[in-house]
Amino acid sequence: MTAYWAEQAWVGGVVEPGVVMETDAALGQLTAVRTGVAAPPPGATVLRGLTVPGLANAHSHAFHRALRGTVQVGSGTFWTWREVMYGVADRLTPETYYDLARALYAEMALAGITCVGEFHYVHHAPGGGRYGDPNAMGHALAGAAAAAGIRVTLLDTAYLAAGFGEGPGRQQLRFSDGDAEAWAERATELSRATGSDTASGPGPGAPSDTDAGADTPAAPGTVRVGAAVHSVRAVPADQLATVAAWAADRDAPLHVHLSEQPAENEACAAAHGVTPARLLADHGVLGPRTTAVHATHLTGDDVALLGRSGTGVCMCPTTERDLADGIGPAPAVERAGSPLSLGSDSHAVVDLFEEARAMELNERLRTRRRGHWTAHHLLRAATEGGYAALGWHRPARLERGGYADFTTVALDSVRTAGAMPRLGAETAVFAATAADVRHTVVAGRHVVRDGAHALVDDVPGALTAAIAALRG
């Protein structure tokens, strides 16, 4: 048992002074939360600033971190950016992917992110050859998250085609399992090996929440496996139901890139006569366990389809603007019934405060009106909204029985100084950056203390070395 005393904490949607949180690291849960405690109890760890539930990065492609800076040279579109991305993907090995993801996930912890959804599709060796362990790349990612001290939902991704009516191109060969049945077989092995396969249970001798090669074992229950459809262009329509059924059998989260580009919508209409959202609905992919990522170019009927089915929507504003994708209809999908979450996707920056405020500020630019969401609403999307989208069903809130995951934001930095404490949520969302995070606790373990990572000594150095190893 460990006790923390927060100078200010966001509890029940209100900023409260003097909050004691007791954690059980064996369970990874909060066992007690008490407000109105004026001074730290003996032995309690003091958290100066505003403590909020852990931030959830609901959409990540870890290897894209190696593109930061490089892809800002010259001009182009999403499609020209994609060619550069393929070049990096082609140079990944299980060892280099582990190193890069460990450094990236440590960067996330420093930014207050306690849980990440890794949209994982680099499954095989370059050219499509199989590793001795078909899930070597997935295990590398799980191990990297353990070494960085954060939770991960590995969204094992079906990526089978280069486009409608096409097989995988050269760049996609290492992503493809051949067909959805083969994908499901390999995904089941990964799920069993991590102890998260509720359909069949862990296999003989399978590790439970192990680090798969990390120096530090995972905290109990910090690795889960879900599923993803890369996109309607990458999974043939007659195989969508297989992926959806795999996730349904396990009550696992199911994610899908949806309508990120108008070209995807146009190609889907030409091939099937419907929008991507309608195609997904017709094949049983939409529903309350499903999260549509981006959802940038939707029709009114698409918005209604997502909302009626309870399908969530993950917005990734920094990537969407970096790639010139456009501004998605976040207010409309939420009004229709779709819960919102946030992701950093390509990691143009790793900063969930920036993602949260960007969603609001994008709407201000589009509508020339302020106040589409309150700071508290945006914080919920960045915390419990992301946890729910990633299949973590306990409360992602500062309350008894919730996850012992939280982060503390300085209220005395050059960006945040001077604000009234009761407006701490507004300060965090609309002024703070990842650089203002002072503490991160995951499953009761103090992963970031006073701005320093407890498990990775030199995060910038680790990033530098891992990215240099992937340069062509």
Side-chain angles (χ1 to χ4, degrees):
M1 296 290 183
T2 303
Y4 296 86
W5 179 84
E7 186 178 34
Q8 308 282 338
W10 189 58
V11 180
V14 177
V15 175
E16 298 276 5
V19 177
V20 170
M21 297 171 291
E22 296 177 359
T23 68
D24 185 336
L27 298 175
Q29 295 174 25
L30 288 163
T31 56
V33 176
R34 301 194 304 276
T35 60
V37 182
T45 299
V46 175
L47 307 174
R48 297 287 180 189
L50 173 69
T51 298
V52 301
L55 304 173
N57 187 349
H59 190 66
S60 164
H61 298 292
F63 73 93
H64 290 190
R65 178 61 179 83
L67 298 170
R68 190 184 295 178
T70 303
V71 291
Q72 304 303 338
V73 177
S75 61
T77 66
F78 167 86
W79 305 102
T80 55
W81 168 89
R82 191 175 69 154
E83 293 304 311
V84 181
M85 178 270 289
Y86 283 148
V88 173
D90 206 42
R91 293 190 287 274
L92 291 170
T93 67
E95 293 76 22
T96 59
Y97 208 5
Y98 169 83
D99 290 341
L100 178 60
R102 170 179 171 268
L104 169 66
Y105 295 157
E107 180 183 1
M108 289 186 190
L110 289 170
I113 293 165
T114 54
C115 182
V116 61
E118 185 59 44
F119 200 99
H120 165 51
Y121 58 80
V122 187
H123 300 305
H124 306 298
R130 277 19 180 194
Y131 291 110
D133 173 2
N135 283 303
M137 298 295 267
H139 289 309
L141 290 166
I150 69 172
R151 298 181 192 269
V152 64
T153 297
L154 282 172
L155 296 162
D156 195 289
T157 304
Y159 193 143
L160 309 172
F164 295 99
E166 303 177 38
R170 181 190 63 80
Q171 299 98 328
Q172 293 97 11
L173 285 172
R174 73 178 307 188
F175 308 158
S176 176
D177 290 295
D179 59 33
E181 291 293 342
W183 166 84
E185 182 178 350
R186 184 189 49 70
T188 297
E189 292 177 6
L190 177 62
S191 188
R192 295 184 72 192
T194 59
S196 59
D197 194 311
T198 57
S200 56
S208 176
D209 299 311
T210 55
D211 64 1
D215 295 330
T216 305
T222 55
V223 179
R224 293 190 179 177
V225 174
V229 169
H230 179 274
S231 57
V232 293
R233 56 187 164 80
V235 178
D238 61 0
Q239 298 186 59
L240 290 170
T242 299
V243 183
W246 187 94
D249 288 346
R250 292 157 177 79
D251 193 28
L254 174 61
H255 287 217
V256 56
H257 290 137
L258 175 63
S259 293
E260 184 176 2
Q261 289 287 321
E264 177 184 311
N265 293 354
E266 294 160 7
C268 187
H272 296 288
V274 296
T275 65
R278 170 52 69 182
L279 188 67
L280 293 172
D282 289 347
H283 290 274
V285 176
L286 301 186
R289 285 181 298 94
T290 300
T291 297
V293 181
H294 303 304
T296 308
H297 302 283
L298 302 181
T299 67
D301 287 343
D302 292 340
V303 170
L305 270 177
L306 295 176
R308 282 199 304 270
S309 64
T311 300
V313 172
C314 177
M315 308 301 293
C316 305
T318 64
T319 288
E320 289 148 9
R321 69 191 183 200
D322 183 57
L323 298 183
D325 287 344
I327 300 172
V333 294
E334 188 176 45
R335 285 194 301 269
S338 293
L340 296 178
S341 56
L342 295 164
S344 65
D345 191 4
S346 69
H347 315 305
V349 298
V350 172
D351 190 335
L352 263 287
F353 299 114
E354 174 63 20
E355 303 294 346
R357 68 171 156 265
M359 193 163 66
E360 165 67 22
L361 298 182
N362 282 350
E363 284 303 310
R364 293 182 185 186
L365 284 175
R366 179 161 63 178
T367 64
R368 291 177 290 175
R369 184 173 63 83
R370 304 175 78 233
H372 300 270
W373 293 280
T374 66
H376 297 272
H377 198 141
L378 293 168
L379 262 183
R380 283 193 291 273
T383 56
E384 59 188 285
Y387 270 73
L390 296 175
W392 299 88
H393 300 306
R394 284 188 174 274
R397 299 185 292 273
L398 301 183
E399 63 181 49
R400 185 176 183 274
Y403 294 113
D405 299 358
F406 42 91
T407 187
T408 303
V409 183
L411 294 179
D412 58 358
S413 77
V414 70
R415 288 164 293 277
T416 60
M420 292 181 287
R422 66 180 178 82
L423 298 179
E426 286 76 8
T427 303
V429 171
F430 288 105
T433 72
D436 296 310
V437 170
R438 292 293 175 265
H439 301 277
T440 301
V441 174
V442 183
R445 299 196 303 179
H446 208 151
V447 175
V448 173
R449 187 188 297 267
D450 295 319
H453 202 288
L455 304 176
V456 181
D457 290 336
D458 179 7
V459 178
L463 285 163
T464 299
I467 293 168
L470 293 172
R471 291 203 176 102

